[in-house]
């Protein structure tokens, strides 16, 4: 990091003129233990999909079966994250970690582990050569369904500790496979109808903020449903009194399978000293869980954008991360993370390619 700061000071530009990009390049040099750090390419997005028992509390205007339908859309290449990933040159891997509706046989490309609920084998093949492999551009599906959606967290714990652990381990394994296949940067994605409700509950549990501060409108709900959603989050917090010192317990009590998997995905990136671009509020809730497991994992996190969901800002402040983009987005899928990818790449490329004052023969101030 010291070498990166010293190099930034010698490049042909006024000191500090690249703003947040300079500090990002320094952070990435520290993460890699090299100056300049590796260019973040190829890039791999993992979209973790799951359903939620709390949907029964009428916290979303969308039917639960949309989760499975969107998984099919991701695999067909028709979602926003697919379009953005094609633009950015990133691969997309979709992970069924907890979808309630069984996926059509035609979509099933890899069986879940019979005991742990985690994927077997290598990076899966979705019917095209290289599907899911970084740089291939072909979406892939990993079937790693731990259970068919969580339980209703307002009535009982959403997951058992073993189920939460299996979901975290799924995220770790998916990350490690993508890294083994050559990915140099990982990006979080998610899909799950009603998943902003457990996300808000997780953020409140880990940061200590109120249900009101953490809870937004998700995919778009009216004032009455928003007030009801806040009450649902508060009820779950009151019922379980989750202890942030026990992150696995928090994930089991009030989390979702995709939230837990994202936490594992982030932990694996940090363990391998590879940057992980965090998307919106679902990813942010997984990120605060990852930080509760291992505080040093924050060093690998790059906040791709500021979601319009209020809990995202609470989570990023808790983590000490500044978002690279603020476009008023609240889609999820990994869309904001993918949009931030060229910014992250540009920050690193400056250290690789910009001349110093000495080498360019430019006079300094």
């Amino acid at each position: 990091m010291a070498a990166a700061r010293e190099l930034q000071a010698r490049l042909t530009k006024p000191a500090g003129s690249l703003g947040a990009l300079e500090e990002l390049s320094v952070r990435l040099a520290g993460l890699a233990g090299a100056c300049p750090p590796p260019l973040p390419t190829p890039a791999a997005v993992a979209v973790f999909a799951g359903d939620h028992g709390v949907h029964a509390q009428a916290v979303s205007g969308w039917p639960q079966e949309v989760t499975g339908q969107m998984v099919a859309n991701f695999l067909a290449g028709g979602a926003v994250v697919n379009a953005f990933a094609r633009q950015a040159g990133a691969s997309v891997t979709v992970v069924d970690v907890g979808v309630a509706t069984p996926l059509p046989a035609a979509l099933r490309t890899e069986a879940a582990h019979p005991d742990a609920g985690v994927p077997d084998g290598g990076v899966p093949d979705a019917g095209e050569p290289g599907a899911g492999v970084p740089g291939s551009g072909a979406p892939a599906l990993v079937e790693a369904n731990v259970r068919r959606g969580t339980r209703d967290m307002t009535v009982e714990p959403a997951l058992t500790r073993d189920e939460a652990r299996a979901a975290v381990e799924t995220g770790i394994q998916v990350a490690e496979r993508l890294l083994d296949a050559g990915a140099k940067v990982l990006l979080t994605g998610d899909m799950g109808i009603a998943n902003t409700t457990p996300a808000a509950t997780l953020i409140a549990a880990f940061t200590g903020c109120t249900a009101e501060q953490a809870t937004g409108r998700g995919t778009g709900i009216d004032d009455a449903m928003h007030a009801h959603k806040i009450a649902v989050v508060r009820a779950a917090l009151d019922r379980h009194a989750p202890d942030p010192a026990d992150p696995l317990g928090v994930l089991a009590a009030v989390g979702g399978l995709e939230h837990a998997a994202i936490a594992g995905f982030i932990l694996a990136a940090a363990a391998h000293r590879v940057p992980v671009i965090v998307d919106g509020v679902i990813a942010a809730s997984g990120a605060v869980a990852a930080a509760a497991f291992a505080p040093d994992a924050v060093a690998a996190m790059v906040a791709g954008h500021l979601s319009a969901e209020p809990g995202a800002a609470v989570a990023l402040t808790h983590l000490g991360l500044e978002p690279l983009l603020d476009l008023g987005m609240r889609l999820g899928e990994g869309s904001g993370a993918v949009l931030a990818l060229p910014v992250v790449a540009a920050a690193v490329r400056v250290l690789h390619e910009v001349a110093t004052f000495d080498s360019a023969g430019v006079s300094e101030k």
Side-chain angles (χ1 to χ4, degrees):
M1 293 175 74
R5 287 194 180 96
E6 191 273 336
L7 178 55
Q8 282 282 1
R10 292 189 291 113
L11 299 180
T12 49
K13 59 179 180 56
S17 59
L18 291 180
L21 295 188
E22 296 192 14
E23 186 57 30
L24 176 58
S25 74
V26 170
R27 287 186 63 217
L28 295 178
L31 179 66
C35 179
L39 290 168
T41 183
V45 186
V47 180
F48 295 94
D51 280 305
H52 303 275
V54 76
H55 183 272
Q57 298 299 323
V59 292
S60 174
W62 293 76
Q64 192 169 68
E65 57 265 27
V66 169
T67 302
Q69 293 165 355
M70 281 300 299
V71 167
N73 192 28
F74 294 136
L75 294 171
V80 170
V81 72
N82 299 108
F84 287 179
R86 285 189 289 269
Q87 173 70 26
S91 69
V92 175
T93 297
V94 185
V95 185
D96 172 9
V97 70
V99 178
T101 308
L103 302 177
L107 295 179
R108 297 165 63 186
T109 61
E110 183 169 292
H113 189 284
D115 298 316
V118 294
D120 278 331
V123 174
D125 170 352
E128 297 181 48
V133 174
S136 71
L141 171 67
V142 174
E143 278 209 43
N145 193 290
V146 174
R147 59 171 286 118
R148 294 290 175 194
T150 63
R151 302 167 186 86
D152 183 348
M153 66 180 178
T154 65
V155 176
E156 59 185 320
L159 300 164
T160 66
R161 290 180 73 91
D162 284 346
E163 288 164 349
R165 181 181 294 107
V168 172
E169 290 175 352
T170 293
I172 292 170
Q173 291 198 10
V174 169
E176 291 187 336
R177 288 182 193 163
L178 292 171
L179 294 172
D180 287 346
K184 300 301 183 187
V185 60
L186 300 180
L187 293 80
T188 69
D190 68 89
M191 180 61 216
I193 296 301
N195 66 2
T196 59
T197 301
T201 314
L202 288 170
I203 289 168
F206 282 116
T207 70
C209 77
T210 66
E212 289 83 356
Q213 291 169 323
T215 307
R217 296 176 183 268
T219 50
I221 55 179
D222 61 20
D223 290 346
M225 188 178 284
H226 183 221
H228 170 66
K229 184 177 175 182
I230 291 170
V232 167
V233 171
R234 188 184 301 115
L237 292 167
D238 290 345
R239 169 175 283 275
H240 301 289
D243 178 5
D246 175 20
L248 188 64
V250 176
L251 287 169
V254 300
L257 291 156
E258 70 269 43
H259 306 76
I262 287 170
F265 189 71
I266 292 170
L267 288 170
H272 290 276
R273 302 183 76 100
V274 171
V276 55
I277 305 180
V278 177
D279 188 44
V281 72
I282 310 304
S285 68
V288 292
F293 279 114
D296 286 346
V298 177
M301 302 178 196
V302 178
H305 79 122
L306 180 62
S307 169
E309 283 288 295
V314 173
L316 295 182
T317 298
H318 177 78
L319 295 168
L321 297 175
E322 291 289 335
L324 295 178
L325 304 174
D326 183 358
L327 301 172
M329 292 172 55
R330 52 178 176 82
L331 173 62
E333 301 182 4
S335 54
V338 179
L339 284 178
L341 176 60
V343 179
V344 177
V348 174
R349 194 169 289 276
V350 165
L351 292 181
H352 280 265
E353 298 182 7
V354 175
T356 63
F357 285 105
D358 285 345
S359 67
V362 175
S363 298
E364 297 190 52
K365 181 178 177 182

